[in-house]
Amino acid sequence: NEFRALGGQFILIDPNQSGTHFIALNDTTILGGFQDLDGCGPKTAEKLIAGQPYECAGEDGQPRIDWDTFYRT
């Protein structure tokens, strides 16, 4: 599509940045929201947002996404 041809990108979900619905992160990036996922309603979206950030220390000591905690939410 034209947006991608112009360098735009879509990110389906980011556990630490996504909100309820799609948002523009900047001029070239659109980020999906939790309620934009099939089967994720308002209560689940609120619970996921309330748990942000989903971070833990990686083996190198740097922060990384804690997918285990995100999936358990």
Side-chain angles (χ1 to χ4, degrees), residues 2-67:
E2 186 177 348
F3 180 70
R4 285 190 175 147
L6 295 171
Q9 66 174 340
F10 293 99
I11 301 172
L12 180 59
I13 289 293
D14 181 307
N16 294 319
Q17 295 186 55
S18 289
T20 306
H21 293 288
F22 282 98
I23 60 168
L25 291 180
N26 54 46
D27 290 342
T28 60
T29 307
I30 296 174
L31 175 64
F34 295 120
Q35 271 189 255
D36 299 312
L37 295 173
D38 189 35
C40 185
K43 289 182 182 181
T44 302
E46 287 176 18
K47 190 175 177 182
L48 290 168
I49 293 166
Q52 292 171 328
Y54 297 96
E55 293 181 352
C56 64
E59 291 180 14
D60 59 359
Q62 296 298 311
R64 65 174 182 81
I65 294 175
D66 183 355
W67 288 103

